Amino acid sequence: MKTIAYSFFVLMLFLQSPFASSGQYNSILNIGDDLPAFNNLPSISGETISSDQLDEDILVFVSLANHCPWVKGMDSDLVALSNKFNNDSVLVIGLSMNHREDDRLPAMAVHAQKVGYNFDYLYDESQQFGRALGATRTPEYFVFDKQRKLIYTGALYNSPAKMSNDGTVKHINGEPSEFYVENAILATLDNKQVNPSETRAHGCTVKYVQ
Amino acid sequence: MFNRFIRLILPTLLLLAISVSNLNADDASLMKPIDYQQWIHKLESHLPSIVVVDMWAMWCVSCIERFPEMVKMHARYKNDNIVFASMNLDDRDDPESLSAANDFLRSMNAQFDHYRMDENLMVAFEKTNLIGIPAVLIYDREGKERYRLTGDNPNQQFSEDDVEQAIINLLNEK
């Protein structure tokens, strides 16, 4: 009996360890997990940014890819989101991890200029931060609170938008009616529970080097 | 009389010809529309064959890049009682993408069955329990999904070797 109880205790410890942590749609991070550290990631601004220099109350990371039609379809709403919380202690940071030429830093700067990104857009060439986030799609959002715990991950809203070759944007389910990231930020600013805390992000797949 | 024919009948005939031409173009679609429930039945209909399904879409660059490997794999294993199929996950309400997908399949000369999921795109991902594509789903001779090769884990991305090894593993099961 003691052996069974001990085995159960060990199993529970393992399940609570960081190695066992994964979310419903994320194989690496779960809600409540810590922000993975990153160091000196280059931004399109010419500066480098590390996780320990960020002091805003809420951090919103979004994985992006210039070539991805689901990113292009959402770009204007991402800019609007960043604008909306301009006067709050909320920081939006874009992240590109792919090694395609059109997803690298020079192309990132061109894309950001074109669509009006009003936030830092970092290039994670080593893909270490992207891996640590478990970011597998673009766009995919990761919201961390002041304690740098993950409070939301997934889609921007409930109707992802795709841009066609002719530049027209179409939402899958019509105009969005649930704004997951915005609601997560508002709830956290208001010291309320985030619900939902995880949704299925829809978009292109990040290509990780194996 | 002849002039009247030209003015009245000929435009009608031309319109009819264009309509028939469009109908034929639609009929020539390589991708059979199929909803999720029909897809489950379709998979069952292939028993007791091994079934390899390539989940793809035109908006997925990685899917397009790896598709030729699927065509080659089909050529290598088509005589081993393995069913290959592609399942397109473009928006069913986006004719431009569906047309481009058909053109792409023709250009690939992929000689296996092609389907497109006739569901709302987000519902299709939910029902198939997919997070992202490309994905390759492989079913054994009893119809059980034995391999789900995806990019869902950044540290365990699948390669074409993984697809082939999965096929070989199932072929070796007697």
Side-chain angles (χ1 to χ4, degrees):
Chain A
M1 187 64 188
K2 265 186 179 176
T3 310
I4 293 172
Y6 179 73
S7 302
F8 181 73
F9 176 71
V10 170
L11 177 67
M12 291 311 289
L13 276 181
F14 175 74
L15 289 176
Q16 288 177 9
S17 77
F19 302 106
S21 186
S22 67
Q24 189 179 358
Y25 305 116
N26 187 314
S27 59
I28 305 294
L29 274 193
N30 201 354
I31 298 302
D33 284 353
D34 292 327
L35 169 69
F38 60 89
N39 290 306
N40 297 321
L41 291 182
S43 170
I44 53 169
S45 66
E47 298 176 352
T48 59
I49 294 182
S50 301
S51 51
D52 60 8
Q53 72 188 75
L54 307 174
D55 54 12
E56 284 78 4
D57 287 352
I58 296 175
L59 303 180
V60 180
F61 292 92
V62 52
S63 58
L64 300 169
N66 303 326
H67 78 274
C68 175
W70 298 101
V71 169
K72 292 177 185 171
M74 168 235 52
D75 270 337
S76 61
D77 294 324
L78 168 58
V79 171
L81 177 85
S82 179
N83 274 333
K84 181 161 190 154
F85 294 102
N86 212 19
N87 295 324
D88 296 290
S89 186
V90 176
L91 184 69
V92 173
I93 295 180
L95 191 67
S96 178
M97 293 87 81
N98 285 324
H99 287 180
R100 297 163 51 103
E101 280 308 314
D102 52 356
D103 285 341
R104 286 177 177 270
L105 208 51
M108 288 163 56
V110 172
H111 181 78
Q113 172 82 20
K114 181 181 170 189
V115 300
Y117 283 172
N118 46 359
F119 46 82
D120 272 302
Y121 187 14
L122 310 181
Y123 186 47
D124 178 22
E125 185 169 17
S126 73
Q127 303 185 319
Q128 285 181 4
F129 184 48
R131 283 179 200 273
L133 285 173
T136 56
R137 283 143 293 156
T138 60
E140 186 175 11
Y141 285 78
F142 302 85
V143 184
F144 292 87
D145 66 10
K146 195 170 185 176
Q147 287 71 43
R148 300 300 182 248
K149 302 287 187 190
L150 182 68
I151 54 165
Y152 174 79
T153 182
L156 178 62
Y157 38 47
N158 65 342
S159 186
K162 176 171 158 284
M163 181 179 277
S164 300
N165 291 334
D166 64 3
T168 56
V169 171
K170 179 176 175 283
H171 291 270
I172 296 179
N173 294 325
E175 283 302 306
S177 56
E178 292 180 59
F179 300 87
Y180 304 129
V181 175
E182 183 180 331
N183 289 344
I185 295 169
L186 289 171
T188 306
L189 288 173
D190 207 18
N191 292 317
K192 289 182 178 166
Q193 191 78 18
V194 174
N195 185 28
S197 55
E198 195 173 3
T199 61
R200 187 190 300 263
H202 182 83
C204 307
T205 301
V206 177
K207 200 160 188 173
Y208 284 101
V209 177
Q210 294 299 294
Chain B
M1 181 67 182
F2 182 71
N3 284 344
R4 193 174 176 193
F5 171 80
I6 294 290
R7 276 189 285 113
L8 295 177
I9 307 295
L10 197 57
T12 309
L13 287 175
L14 275 173
L15 277 175
L16 191 65
I18 290 167
S19 304
V20 169
S21 154
N22 284 341
L23 189 67
N24 286 341
D26 193 44
D27 283 345
S29 169
L30 293 179
M31 301 182 297
K32 301 178 191 78
I34 190 167
D35 67 26
Y36 182 72
Q37 209 52 47
Q38 291 168 330
W39 173 240
I40 297 301
H41 293 316
K42 175 58 71 178
L43 286 172
E44 288 168 357
S45 75
H46 289 308
L47 287 171
S49 297
I50 295 166
V51 181
V52 179
V53 185
D54 185 344
M55 315 293 278
W56 75 289
M58 284 306 288
W59 49 262
C60 167
V61 175
S62 299
C63 300
I64 303 296
E65 287 173 351
R66 68 162 298 277
F67 202 91
E69 297 304 319
M70 203 65 176
V71 176
K72 287 181 197 165
M73 218 165 296
H74 167 252
R76 282 203 292 280
Y77 291 99
K78 65 183 177 187
N79 297 323
D80 288 297
N81 196 26
I82 298 179
V83 174
F84 281 75
S86 77
M87 173 60 79
N88 177 271
L89 289 164
D90 278 296
D91 184 355
R92 66 179 176 180
D93 298 321
D94 181 354
E96 183 191 324
S97 293
L98 296 178
S99 174
N102 262 311
D103 291 344
F104 174 73
L105 288 175
R106 283 197 188 88
S107 74
M108 286 286 104
N109 194 25
Q111 300 292 318
F112 45 89
D113 288 338
H114 306 295
Y115 301 91
R116 67 171 175 85
M117 188 65 82
D118 195 13
E119 301 273 3
N120 170 282
L121 189 51
M122 294 189 76
V123 172
F125 272 80
E126 283 165 21
K127 287 189 173 175
T128 52
N129 198 24
L130 281 173
I131 289 178
I133 52 175
V136 179
L137 312 185
I138 306 179
Y139 300 82
D140 66 15
R141 297 180 207 276
E142 293 173 353
K144 185 178 174 192
E145 184 188 304
R146 291 282 296 279
Y147 295 92
R148 176 171 282 244
L149 303 167
T150 69
D152 296 350
N153 186 332
N155 303 317
Q156 290 171 11
Q157 307 267 289
F158 79 92
S159 68
E160 301 314 318
D161 288 346
D162 296 325
V163 178
E164 185 147 26
Q165 190 57 55
I167 291 171
I168 291 168
N169 290 347
L170 292 182
L171 279 174
N172 287 338
E173 289 179 4
K174 296 296 179 189

